[in-house]
């Protein structure tokens, strides 16, 4: 699903949850949505490594090894 359709889909109960990015991180409350988890915060607590906004999964995994 394109990222710009995620919040409407969650708000309209077309899907159970969604991962939002960019400015949606600041505007989701206006859709009546609530945050379940902040993945950047979770990542930093779990790994002790900073969460890079431009990170890719392969980059993140290689940083852990």
């Amino acid at each position: 699903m394109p990222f710009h359709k995620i919040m409407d889909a969650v708000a309209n109960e077309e899907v159970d949850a969604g991962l939002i990015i960019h400015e949606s991180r600041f505007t989701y409350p206006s859709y009546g949505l609530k945050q379940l988890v902040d993945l950047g915060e979770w990542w930093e607590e779990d790994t002790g490594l900073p969460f890079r906004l431009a990170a890719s999964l392969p980059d993140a995994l290689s940083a852990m090894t």
Side-chain angles (χ1 to χ4, degrees), residues 14-39:
E14 297 168 26
V15 296
D16 294 328
L19 176 65
I20 58 172
I21 58 174
H22 302 303
E23 52 279 333
S24 300
R25 296 176 302 139
F26 309 110
T27 61
Y28 70 87
S30 67
Y31 286 76
L33 304 176
K34 64 181 181 177
Q35 175 180 297
L36 298 177
V37 65
D38 180 319
L39 293 177

